[in-house]
Amino acid sequence: AQSVSQHNHHVILSEAASLELGCNYSYGGTVNLFWYVQYPGQHLQLLLKYFSGDPLVKGIKGFEAEFIKSKFSFNLRKPSVQWSDTAEYFCAVGWNSGNTPLVFGKGTRLSVIA
Amino acid sequence: NAGVTQTPKFRILKIGQSMTLQCTQDMNHNYMYWYRQDPGMGLKLIYYSVGAGITDKGEVPNGYNVSRSTTEDFPLRLELAAPSQTSVYFCASSQGQGNTEAFFGQGTRLTVV
């Protein structure tokens, strides 16, 4: 079955630290890749997405992600986090086969401390 | 720009009661989805629809029912509420196939006591 794994359940960082959140998906084929962010008490919002082309994609608020096809990975990065980045981050994958909806990872909770 | 609208935002139900969570979107999207979110478990797909009149089960459909009579609306029905259905429910929609960007509603926090 198609699945998405996020390696870290909870990450705690100090402000200005660098961030990398891991995301791997279960098997190949053509995929669309997404990172969503959920701020406390809010709904999911799109952070960035990859459909094709340059495997390094840039999103909002200084986030970027790199698609490495050989590793089935789509890791999220930010060079310097801020307190306002405290949120839960979800990786999602859409396989280009049929009508299967996006499959989400379990999420990584990021806490940024001053 | 309403996007995806869910009502109610909060609800407390007693065991055995029924209710309908409403979801409507104004983006003319074909695909609509219902997810539930439980702490540490991510999002689990309950039901989805690829267009008016067509629905399909997701990962956790038991205890729920849906209908899709129009493109805009995709209500989720709980017939006999159980404590295990305490969760936050999100409705979402997408334009193209299921592998495209999903737009989410604000969520409904449901507690069954």
Side-chain angles (χ1 to χ4, degrees), chain B residues 11-21 63 76-82 85 110 112:
Chain B
R11 183 72 186 267
I12 299 175
L13 277 184
K14 293 185 178 178
I15 294 171
Q17 286 186 320
S18 62
M19 76 163 294
T20 299
L21 281 67
L76 178 72
R77 178 97 179 144
L78 283 72
E79 291 294 349
L80 290 170
Q85 293 178 305
L110 176 67
V112 182

Side-chain angles (χ1 to χ4, degrees), chain B residues 19-108:
Chain B
M19 76 163 294
T20 299
L21 281 67
Q22 302 291 346
C23 176
T24 187
Q25 52 94 7
D26 62 359
M27 297 174 283
N28 201 33
H29 285 172
N30 291 324
Y31 281 67
M32 295 188 75
Y33 319 88
W34 275 106
Y35 291 92
R36 60 176 288 171
Q37 183 181 27
D38 301 297
M41 301 301 290
L43 291 165
K44 294 192 174 179
L45 183 67
I46 305 171
Y47 271 96
Y48 67 102
S49 168
V50 304
I54 306 169
T55 62
D56 208 346
K57 295 178 181 179
E59 184 183 357
V60 290
N62 291 346
Y64 307 95
N65 279 302
V66 293
S67 59
R68 185 94 182 271
S69 56
T70 66
T71 298
E72 295 78 20
D73 300 308
F74 190 41
L76 178 72
R77 178 97 179 144
L78 283 72
E79 291 294 349
L80 290 170
S84 61
Q85 293 178 305
T86 293
S87 188
V88 180
Y89 292 84
F90 286 100
C91 178
S93 71
S94 63
Q95 169 64 2
Q97 291 186 342
N99 59 3
T100 56
E101 177 186 350
F103 295 81
F104 284 82
Q106 296 282 344
T108 296

Side-chain angles (χ1 to χ4, degrees), chain A residues 38-113:
Chain A
Q38 185 181 30
Y39 298 105
Q42 296 191 25
H43 65 294
L44 276 77
Q45 304 169 49
L46 185 68
L47 204 52
L48 49 79
K49 61 186 176 185
Y50 171 82
F51 283 10
S52 64
D54 188 343
L56 184 63
V57 293
K58 296 191 184 300
I60 59 172
K61 303 186 181 186
F63 285 91
E64 65 180 30
E66 185 176 13
F67 171 46
I68 302 179
K69 189 174 182 179
S70 61
K71 294 185 177 180
F72 305 119
S73 71
F74 190 54
N75 291 356
L76 181 71
R77 300 196 291 248
K78 185 170 184 179
S80 175
V81 295
Q82 302 172 319
W83 178 81
S84 58
D85 293 324
T86 295
E88 190 148 17
Y89 293 82
F90 292 92
C91 180
V93 179
W95 277 267
N96 287 9
S97 54
N99 296 323
T100 308
L102 295 183
V103 177
F104 285 82
K106 291 188 175 181
T108 297
R109 185 155 63 99
L110 172 65
S111 299
V112 180
I113 56 177

